[in-house]
Amino acid sequence: MYEAKSEHADDFINHEEVMETLGYAEKNKHNRVMLEEILEKAQKNKGLSHREASVLLACDIPELNEQIFKLAKKIKEDFYGDRIVLFAPLYLSNYCVNGCVYCPYHAKNKHICRRKLTQEDIKTEVIALQDMGHKRLAIECGEDPVNNPIEYILDSIHTIYNIKHKNGAIRRVNVNIAATTLEEYRMLKKAQIGTYILFQETYHKENYGKLHPTGPKHNYDYHTEAMDRAMLGGIDDVGCGVLFGLSTYKYEFAGLLMHAEHLEARFGVGPHTISVPRIRRAEDIDPETFDNGISDDVFAKIVACIRVAVPYTGMIVSTRESRKCREKVLELGISQISGGSRTSVGGYAEEEAEEDNSKQFDVSDNRSLDEVVDWLMERGFVPSFCTACYRAGRVGDRFMSLCKSGQISNCCLPNALLTLKEYLCDYAGNDTKALGLKVIDKQIAHITRENVVNKVREELALIEDGARDFRF
């Protein structure tokens, strides 16, 4: 039975409810009156249910789809303005005991080069990332209790936070590791992680079993209930996502929104972020063997419908996607992107040799961070390296209450401009810096409070003189 507040996966991601939702959406995809009523509700910026959003996703009336895209863009601007947060993944180890058939880390893969970073390796990689200009990392790791125990993760987080090089510093470490115990989530909380990220891969339980035939990840319930344990362990911000292409996209879309509804119902706060990766080619993995791939147009529609349904959540797209695809979805709801990424174990300080392939997947957007920053500004966005909310304790329900009320914008734009100025002074190429200074001057006009404008101008001048790390 479907029950959003239940602690059991089969209740809050209920297969019968998903199937009924898909049937309801198919039945009403041409119901113009219903579709317009759902769009009218969505305009209030309060979100939609998984069933209402699924009707929008199923809609194939061109003029109404155009309204969905326009509304998604407006909602994104209402909550996030022109800001795009930048981050980079750092792969610590690709040792893994699972048998996931879509991932090259799977235990039977004898072609991939297995590697694990030492703490000295991590220092070298983090300095390289700092020298690029990054302030926010997402650490990634295969599941292996011998090679990658929780102690290794905790030591790595401590190492990262304590590396100061020139003006560089990693100010937020997000963690993307396998589902674990309540006690280990408490350890991660104590280590002051940012967001705990875990992709469901697929919400279709039967397919999940086939896709994860061996290893601890085979346990669907334990994996699906991981966010609950994380939040019970004190982690305020969690990030959900599916790997589109493993099961039908409409099923995954409904399941993803049901998961968000569950977290909101049980804990009073939904996911801090939602990621939308698509399966990509990798060593020993051919995406053509999976028959649920989606086109760029369908992908864009998914992003727009998630933004309309969950207006407050951050949305992430990585370098899995091409520049062209990222340009499109940035307009429709994406608020965070990676830049200058490596999906190998390490690879920032020194690019990995082709014969030492340790990559999790092939990157589609290979531009440097500076090229991405310049591109974002050319497209009218404000690249942000801000970590202020996390460091000021505006996390979990505190962040969401500010976000839902629209008040978060009073500090987000100033923080974005201050961190952009740091980047321009310390890391940007000449052309990027020239453009960035124009962007800052233009964006200051969007700050409505005179006292905030005066403080921003004062701190921008101090950054020019060498001061760092101001925040609202």
Side-chain angles (χ1 to χ4, degrees), residues 323-338:
R323 170 178 176 163
K324 180 179 179 182
C325 179
R326 300 217 294 178
E327 281 185 358
K328 186 169 186 177
V329 296
L330 279 169
E331 300 283 349
L332 300 175
I334 296 301
S335 59
Q336 294 187 31
I337 65 170
S338 51

Side-chain angles (χ1 to χ4, degrees), residues 229-269:
R229 293 193 300 280
M231 298 190 82
L232 289 170
I235 295 175
D236 300 283
D237 293 340
V238 298
C240 298
V242 295
L243 184 55
F244 284 102
L246 299 182
S247 294
T248 61
Y249 73 89
K250 292 179 180 179
Y251 193 104
E252 305 294 22
F253 176 86
L256 185 58
L257 294 187
M258 289 166 73
H259 204 166
E261 290 169 359
H262 161 68
L263 295 175
E264 183 85 44
R266 189 174 183 203
F267 299 101
V269 57

Side-chain angles (χ1 to χ4, degrees), residues 182-200:
L182 176 60
E183 182 55 36
E184 292 192 355
Y185 285 123
R186 288 177 176 146
M187 293 179 185
L188 291 170
K189 168 66 175 180
K190 190 175 180 181
Q192 299 184 324
I193 71 165
T195 304
Y196 172 67
I197 302 165
L198 183 68
F199 298 161
Q200 180 62 28

Side-chain angles (χ1 to χ4, degrees), residues 63-130:
E63 60 268 31
L64 292 185
N65 278 339
E66 189 61 32
Q67 287 186 40
I68 294 169
F69 289 133
K70 287 181 179 178
L71 180 57
K73 182 176 181 179
K74 180 180 182 300
I75 289 173
K76 193 259 181 154
E77 291 172 350
D78 288 346
F79 282 91
Y80 290 94
D82 297 325
R83 301 180 308 281
I84 301 294
V85 171
L86 288 153
F87 73 96
L90 176 59
Y91 285 78
L92 302 180
S93 169
N94 61 2
Y95 285 95
C96 192
V97 298
N98 288 308
C100 312
V101 302
Y102 53 84
C103 178
Y105 288 7
H106 68 83
K108 293 183 179 180
N109 187 356
K110 304 303 181 185
H111 305 292
I112 196 170
C113 178
R114 301 288 176 176
R115 190 180 177 207
K116 172 184 174 180
L117 299 183
T118 66
Q119 297 306 308
E120 284 302 313
D121 291 334
I122 291 171
K123 289 180 183 179
T124 301
E125 293 297 314
V126 170
I127 287 172
L129 283 157
Q130 290 175 351

Side-chain angles (χ1 to χ4, degrees), residues 343-360:
T343 65
S344 53
V345 179
Y348 290 103
E350 184 176 345
E351 191 167 353
E352 183 178 71
E354 189 172 340
E355 63 270 19
D356 295 331
N357 184 17
S358 66
K359 292 187 298 185
Q360 190 183 38

Side-chain angles (χ1 to χ4, degrees), residues 118-179:
T118 66
Q119 297 306 308
E120 284 302 313
D121 291 334
I122 291 171
K123 289 180 183 179
T124 301
E125 293 297 314
V126 170
I127 287 172
L129 283 157
Q130 290 175 351
D131 282 343
M132 291 166 61
H134 279 294
K135 303 290 189 237
R136 178 187 300 235
L137 299 185
I139 59 173
E140 319 265 353
C141 204
E143 183 170 11
D144 186 324
V146 173
N147 286 292
N148 313 327
I150 190 65
E151 291 78 14
Y152 171 67
I153 303 300
L154 298 173
D155 287 346
S156 300
I157 294 168
H158 182 266
T159 295
I160 294 167
Y161 274 139
N162 283 279
I163 298 170
K164 303 296 184 285
H165 173 68
K166 297 180 180 177
N167 286 329
I170 301 303
R171 299 170 181 166
R172 179 175 177 123
V173 178
N174 297 334
V175 175
N176 185 354
I177 63 169

Side-chain angles (χ1 to χ4, degrees), residues 239-308:
C240 298
V242 295
L243 184 55
F244 284 102
L246 299 182
S247 294
T248 61
Y249 73 89
K250 292 179 180 179
Y251 193 104
E252 305 294 22
F253 176 86
L256 185 58
L257 294 187
M258 289 166 73
H259 204 166
E261 290 169 359
H262 161 68
L263 295 175
E264 183 85 44
R266 189 174 183 203
F267 299 101
V269 57
H272 185 71
T273 58
I274 290 177
S275 297
V276 287
R278 288 190 284 180
I279 191 165
R280 283 287 178 255
R281 183 173 301 280
E283 183 67 44
D284 199 45
I285 303 297
D286 181 359
E288 299 300 324
T289 62
F290 301 91
D291 57 6
N292 290 300
I294 55 176
S295 67
D296 285 357
D297 288 342
V298 169
F299 183 66
K301 179 79 177 289
I302 290 169
V303 170
C305 288
I306 292 174
R307 174 51 67 211
V308 169

